[in-house]
Amino acid sequence: MKSILKSISSGIEYPLDEVRFTSDNGELLDVIHDFDALKKKYPLTREYFLSKRSSINGQPSGGVWHFKELVLPDIAESEIVSKQEGNTRLYRTKKISSWLGLNKEKFFLKHEGENPTGSFKDRGMTAAITMAKHLKQKAVTCASTGNTSASLAAYASEAELTGIVLIPKGNVAVGKISQALAYGTKTLVVNGDFDDCMRLIREAQETLSAYPLNSINPFRLEGQKTIMWEILQQRNWQVPDWIVFPGGNLGNTSAFGKALHEAHQLGLIDRLPRLAVIQAEGASPFYKAYKNNFSGLKTEKAETIATAIKIGDPVNYTKAVRALKWTNGIVESVTDEEILEAKANVDAAGIGAEPASCATVAGIKKLIASGEIKTNETVVGILTGNILKDPQVIVDYHFNRKTALANPPHDVEASIEEIKKYLS
Ligand SMILES: *Cc1c(COP(=O)(O)O)cnc(C)c1O
């Protein structure tokens, strides 16, 4: 019942323990599990997953390894490198739902910024680092807009592997580069953009003799699938109408499509929610390809304040197109101004998230305005990264803007009189 690697179009098969990221003819690879064999061992029903309890505190449990049977079924529990990722909150928030004009009972925000290193990347990292160890790799590497390097750094430390990260000069938020340095990974600041870093990783795999942990690594996506299953389980397996989230390298898009497709195949859900991928206007090759009925991807030079999605040549394009076909999905693009406005609202609601994450909420706003999302539909938005990842954007906004939500600090003398004067 071993899982295998399989190329996504021509179906060429490779063993799971072969170190490779594309097929010989250059296609991306899927991890394919043998569901029929797995079902003979585990029930894999809604009830099974709902009734599974955490081995730590007996609570109903979520998280990546709650779904181990559908992530890496052949790997021994003892091999797993985990920081208890997942189990993130599904918020309902009156402030944001009323700003959007949605029903508070039907609008949810899944906060993936509550993972161990502050982004959803940890869900993929636990699976891919576990495989790196299993495959006896000594060093791991990635190109990163910041969060992948933060996550890699923490997990490489835990797994006692050498970490090497390539980040684009001047384009990584301060919270993220701080984490890479603090967790002790070798950090190379490349005089180029993310797409240059990604190209180097793909070209230099052998020279570096380091195992790539970008989302081209199919095990990353196996871990990220659990975001979908956790949402479904948190909602008692009731399927929402929409799942909305930002798209950069399109790893989540690919993983979410696969998760929903598999849940449907297993009979866990009887219909699929629609995926809505939101891109920043200055980094929107997927949006443009969508508008051209996916007749081809034109790469571009990316520019946006949302550095986590500042990507002009997404490696997971073909898998992402498939995900949208499976889910009748759509792509929207939003301006940096729209992202900042949405972020001010997400932050002021006491939830907060980094700029790329707030593209989700800006996208929902735009899709409601265009009538694509109806106000009586159930919508789950994904916040991909923590508010503290990019404090500079927050400071710039509140010090320099004159908007209703701008909230600059005030200097006062050290006296009660002065404070009273200010507050009145
Ligand atoms: C990586 C990242 C994204 C982009 O996700 P993809 O899977 O590459 O499309 C979005 N938001 C945040 C915060 C990220 O770290």
Side-chain angles (χ1 to χ4, degrees):
M1 63 153 240
K2 291 272 185 272
S3 306
I4 55 164
L5 297 172
K6 193 168 176 179
S7 74
I8 74 158
S9 302
S10 30
I12 310 166
E13 298 185 359
Y14 301 95
L16 200 73
D17 53 6
E18 188 170 324
V19 178
R20 63 157 60 234
F21 302 93
T22 49
S23 57
D24 287 331
N25 60 349
E27 294 172 19
L28 296 172
L29 300 175
D30 273 326
V31 179
I32 301 288
H33 306 297
D34 183 346
F35 287 154
D36 291 334
L38 285 168
K39 273 200 220 159
K40 293 198 182 106
K41 257 183 110 174
Y42 314 100
L44 303 182
T45 58
R46 293 176 175 198
E47 296 70 33
Y48 173 70
F49 287 112
L50 282 171
S51 68
K52 261 177 106 175
R53 289 289 189 272
S54 159
S55 53
I56 302 166
N57 55 17
Q59 293 296 309
S61 158
V64 171
W65 301 106
H66 181 75
F67 300 100
K68 177 177 181 296
E69 299 88 337
L70 304 173
V71 174
L72 288 176
D74 308 327
I75 298 294
E77 297 258 353
S78 59
E79 287 188 75
I80 293 172
V81 181
S82 171
K83 295 174 173 293
Q84 303 170 52
E85 44 294 304
N87 259 323
T88 55
R89 293 180 190 85
L90 192 59
Y91 287 101
R92 270 193 293 203
T93 135
K94 197 158 133 239
K95 274 192 179 163
I96 305 173
S97 49
S98 61
W99 181 64
L100 290 169
L102 284 174
N103 180 341
K104 177 183 179 256
E105 303 303 318
K106 291 180 159 192
F107 172 63
F108 302 82
L109 284 171
K110 174 81 167 160
H111 209 325
E112 287 296 301
E114 296 177 349
N115 272 294
T117 76
S119 82
F120 73 83
K121 298 296 196 306
D122 295 339
R123 294 207 190 231
M125 205 52 72
T126 180
I129 280 265
T130 294
M131 281 307 289
K133 284 286 261 192
H134 182 75
L135 299 169
K136 309 240 174 332
Q137 303 294 303
K138 296 277 176 287
V140 288
T141 188
C142 72
S144 178
T145 60
N147 282 330
T148 307
S149 57
S151 185
L152 180 150
Y155 283 80
S157 168
E158 173 72 29
E160 299 186 77
L161 297 171
T162 302
I164 308 162
V165 302
L166 269 56
I167 62 176
K169 190 172 177 176
N171 282 307
V172 172
V174 67
K176 305 177 188 181
I177 191 168
S178 309
Q179 285 177 291
L181 302 176
Y183 300 141
T185 207
K186 289 189 209 309
T187 304
L188 305 178
V189 180
V190 175
N191 192 6
D193 61 12
F194 170 83
D195 298 299
D196 291 317
C197 296
M198 191 67 232
R199 177 176 51 77
L200 288 167
I201 292 290
R202 296 187 73 163
E203 285 170 9
Q205 192 186 326
E206 265 154 43
T207 328
L208 292 174
S209 25
Y211 183 74
L213 293 176
N214 278 101
S215 53
I216 194 170
N217 183 314
F219 303 113
R220 273 270 311 271
L221 304 190
E222 290 306 291
Q224 287 167 217
K225 290 190 308 190
T226 61
I227 301 173
M228 289 299 103
W229 298 334
E230 204 175 284
I231 290 170
L232 290 165
Q233 184 178 268
Q234 283 171 314
R235 294 177 38 78
N236 255 312
W237 296 94
Q238 297 306 300
V239 179
D241 296 303
W242 292 95
I243 307 262
V244 188
F245 55 98
N249 225 357
L250 306 177
N252 267 342
T253 312
S254 307
F256 294 178
K258 187 168 189 279
L260 295 167
H261 183 71
E262 289 178 350
H264 192 239
Q265 277 184 314
L266 286 162
L268 289 166
I269 50 175
D270 48 20
R271 70 183 177 96
L272 275 66
R274 296 181 71 187
L275 295 182
V277 184
I278 314 300
Q279 294 212 292
E281 196 175 86
S284 56
F286 191 51
Y287 171 73
K288 287 165 196 142
Y290 165 76
K291 285 286 171 193
N292 283 320
N293 291 314
F294 294 124
S295 56
L297 178 76
K298 272 212 203 72
T299 64
E300 62 186 49
K301 178 106 188 111
E303 192 49 64
T304 168
I305 195 164
T307 49
I309 50 174
K310 189 175 168 184
I311 295 174
D313 185 8
V315 295
N316 290 299
Y317 174 71
T318 46
K319 283 184 176 174
V321 172
R322 181 183 67 175
L324 290 203
K325 290 193 173 145
W326 276 336
T327 60
N328 189 22
I330 61 172
V331 190
E332 185 54 274
S333 89
V334 292
T335 63
D336 280 4
E337 279 306 309
E338 289 167 329
I339 291 173
L340 285 172
E341 191 194 3
K343 176 168 162 57
N345 279 279
V346 171
D347 292 357
I351 291 182
E354 68 164 284
S357 309
C358 298
T360 292
V361 175
I364 295 170
K365 181 111 180 141
K366 195 160 173 187
L367 291 168
I368 290 171
S370 70
E372 189 77 63
I373 293 180
K374 311 279 181 294
T375 50
N376 63 354
E377 289 183 304
T378 303
V379 180
V380 178
I382 316 278
L383 299 176
T384 43
N386 196 283
I387 184 174
L388 293 173
K389 290 282 190 171
D390 196 345
Q392 193 60 50
V393 164
I394 301 174
V395 170
D396 289 346
Y397 184 91
H398 291 285
F399 279 74
N400 302 326
R401 297 278 173 145
K402 295 279 179 289
T403 61
L405 290 175
N407 181 31
H410 295 272
D411 293 334
V412 288
E413 296 305 325
S415 87
I416 289 293
E417 282 315 305
E418 278 282 313
I419 292 172
K420 270 192 183 157
K421 211 163 87 197
Y422 166 69
L423 289 178
S424 64

